[in-house]
Amino acid sequence: MTDRVADWRLLGLGFWQAWQIVAMCTDIVAPTSGKLFDQGNALLILLVLMTAAYLAVVVASRRYAPFAGRDSSYVLAAALMAAGTLAMPVALHFLEGIVGIGVFVMAAASASLGNALLLIMWGELWSALATGRVGRHLYASYTFAFVLFFLIYFMPQPVAVMATTLLPIISTAVLYACRHEPRREPSVVPLDVHTIPVARLLVCLFIISVIWGLT
């Protein structure tokens, strides 16, 4: 019982997942209508930049990983994601012209890079934890994320923006607190490793994505 994962740490990923749902499924972070873009274009720009950020962080990980081993990575992820989250709706609602577009793109790039960095650090933690702990982290966090989403969804717009801005900061803080969680012990039993065909893996990912999107 001395090495049991603290219950509140199980919710860490939920704050990140709640940010994802709010950003992708509501008008809080990237409004579909505003002064700068036609309907849906702001979200499209955010999606493109998030994809590029994931690729950039994966490439950088070949040289700088593990990110979770550096204190600066936590500060950078939280700062980039929170600043971008706050600046995007501000740019879309209060700025105009090329200045507004430029601020929004920079804000979206900032949030996307912080998002990718935070996610890969959560992945680095899971890769070292025992399987049972990873499972508890996942199902507790994802359930908690939907609770957070509905709470934020019914908040007034300014309050919802501020609450969404806090989500990556809290998620990063919980991740930092998980640095000393008990790690997986080396196996003493030879493992029979089976390689999963790439085609089957891609089909599974596609089905999961479709189900997630429909939900």
Side-chain angles (χ1 to χ4, degrees), residues 169-182:
I169 299 175
I170 299 173
S171 182
T172 306
V174 176
L175 175 62
Y176 188 80
C178 289
R179 290 178 303 154
H180 303 298
E181 293 294 333

Side-chain angles (χ1 to χ4, degrees), residues 13 38 49 51 58 61 64 96 138-139 144 153 195 202-203:
L13 180 70
D38 295 330
L49 290 174
T51 303
V58 168
S61 67
Y64 298 106
E96 298 180 354
L138 284 173
Y139 68 68
F144 181 61
Y153 181 78
T195 302
L202 292 177
V203 169

Side-chain angles (χ1 to χ4, degrees), residues 115-190:
N115 167 73
L117 182 58
L118 178 57
L119 181 58
I120 201 170
M121 287 196 295
W122 273 110
E124 289 172 348
L125 170 68
W126 293 338
S127 67
L129 292 182
T131 305
R133 288 185 173 87
V134 174
R136 292 205 301 274
H137 273 280
L138 284 173
Y139 68 68
S141 292
Y142 274 72
T143 303
F144 181 61
F146 283 101
V147 175
L148 283 177
F149 166 73
F150 285 111
L151 287 175
I152 294 174
Y153 181 78
F154 290 107
M155 291 179 179
Q157 179 75 12
V159 179
V161 170
M162 295 306 301
T164 306
T165 301
L166 291 175
L167 294 177
I169 299 175
I170 299 173
S171 182
T172 306
V174 176
L175 175 62
Y176 188 80
C178 289
R179 290 178 303 154
H180 303 298
E181 293 294 333
R183 296 304 197 254
R184 181 185 298 117
E185 296 181 359
S187 175
V188 295
V189 179

